[in-house]
Amino acid sequence: LVVGLVVWNAAGDPKDERTDRPRATGPAEDPINATLFVGTREKNAEMVWLTLVTHDAEEDRGAVIYIPAHTAVEVPGRGLQSLADAHSSGGIPLLLISTENLLGIDIDHHVELSDNAAKILVGRTGTMSVNVPEEVTVKLGASAARVVFDPGPQRLPSDLLVQLLYIVGLEGDDEELGGRHLAFWDALFDTYEETPNKLVSAFEHAGSALGVSNTEPAEIAAQIGDIVRLPGHDRPIALLPVQQVSVGFDV
């Protein structure tokens, strides 16, 4: 049995996923700046997570949305697949098109952040206080497991913050990993809401960590700065609502 995750809208019905979504035309400029962060493992280029960061210049509102990697979407030319499969078979270009179709928005920028690149970027943000939502365990040999993170508030140095973002727990749960990402962004904004320029500087000087992108680190840094300067109620941090469904059978 093949299992996937589908997006649910506010009415509780699966989102209409289209490959022919019309693009906006005319002189009006889209006020929403959307950047997709794509977390990968450098060893095998496997995509582990997706996070969409947006800032609406007109409304002066921001958002951080974690998107489970195994969310099912109609992938152009390939049918119903997960976003992870879209990345695996078509790289960033196919992933961007599939994500745009899924969410119904234009993605302006992307940053492919490997686990090794994340060590550079997160190393610049430094130790942070994070409220880890659940215990995280990983396999230890064939029949044992070890706890990597206990639940609850804790001070985590940069190397453990990277593990928090990239380690998939024993159950391989996309949503559990998403909860840790939300906790990370909460901690990031809490840490720098009084000193936003320091966070902007950390992103600006990450250099090679943000190099696999279609824009400059300074532009990514400026967007993050715009969001961290907002009051908390104007920059929600959320997990894209999904529901586990069966989408077919292995033969």
Side-chain angles (χ1 to χ4, degrees):
L1 186 64
V2 180
V3 176
L5 299 170
V6 295
V7 175
W8 283 63
N9 60 24
D13 296 321
K15 181 177 177 66
D16 177 23
E17 295 166 2
R18 299 163 302 195
T19 59
D20 58 349
R21 177 174 56 81
R23 299 283 180 167
T25 58
E29 184 176 345
D30 185 356
I32 299 177
N33 184 17
T35 300
L36 187 67
F37 287 84
V38 183
T40 61
R41 290 195 178 93
E42 191 159 309
K43 181 178 180 181
N44 55 14
E46 175 191 9
M47 188 182 86
V48 184
W49 53 264
L50 288 170
T51 297
L52 183 72
V53 178
T54 67
H55 180 253
D56 186 331
E58 281 188 1
E59 300 291 336
D60 201 18
R61 289 177 56 85
V64 176
I65 303 171
Y66 175 87
I67 305 169
H70 292 93
T71 303
V73 60
E74 193 68 29
V75 177
R78 289 168 169 78
L80 190 65
Q81 291 186 345
S82 72
L83 290 171
D85 288 334
H87 178 266
S88 176
S89 62
I92 289 293
L94 187 59
L95 173 66
L96 291 174
I97 293 171
S98 301
T99 306
E100 287 183 330
N101 287 339
L102 175 70
L103 301 177
I105 67 167
D106 293 329
I107 295 173
D108 304 288
H109 311 294
H110 68 269
V111 176
E112 187 170 358
L113 194 66
S114 72
D115 47 355
N116 286 340
K119 292 175 184 177
I120 299 172
L121 176 59
V122 179
R124 290 191 169 275
T125 64
T127 298
M128 295 192 297
S129 295
V130 183
N131 189 4
V132 179
E134 298 180 37
E135 179 182 279
V136 182
T137 59
V138 295
K139 285 184 178 181
L140 186 64
S143 58
R146 69 180 179 92
V147 175
V148 182
F149 295 102
D150 291 313
Q154 49 204 282
R155 294 279 292 173
L156 297 178
S158 58
D159 59 329
L160 290 182
L161 288 170
V162 173
Q163 291 187 44
L164 188 78
L165 298 176
Y166 284 84
I167 286 180
V168 177
L170 198 57
E171 301 301 322
D173 190 330
D174 268 331
E175 293 187 65
E176 185 276 326
L177 178 59
R180 285 187 263 136
H181 276 253
L182 303 191
F184 170 84
W185 283 96
D186 269 328
L188 187 69
F189 290 152
D190 286 347
T191 300
Y192 287 98
E193 62 183 357
E194 300 297 329
T195 55
N197 289 341
K198 289 185 178 181
L199 182 58
V200 171
S201 178
F203 272 77
E204 282 180 338
H205 293 92
S208 60
L210 299 175
V212 186
S213 175
N214 65 336
T215 192
E216 295 298 320
E219 188 163 355
I220 301 299
Q223 183 189 25
I224 296 297
D226 288 338
I227 296 172
V228 74
R229 291 185 180 96
L230 296 172
H233 58 80
D234 283 336
R235 48 170 165 82
I237 302 170
L239 174 71
L240 187 72
V242 294
Q243 179 161 329
Q244 185 166 293
V245 297
S246 302
V247 296
F249 290 88
D250 289 326
V251 291

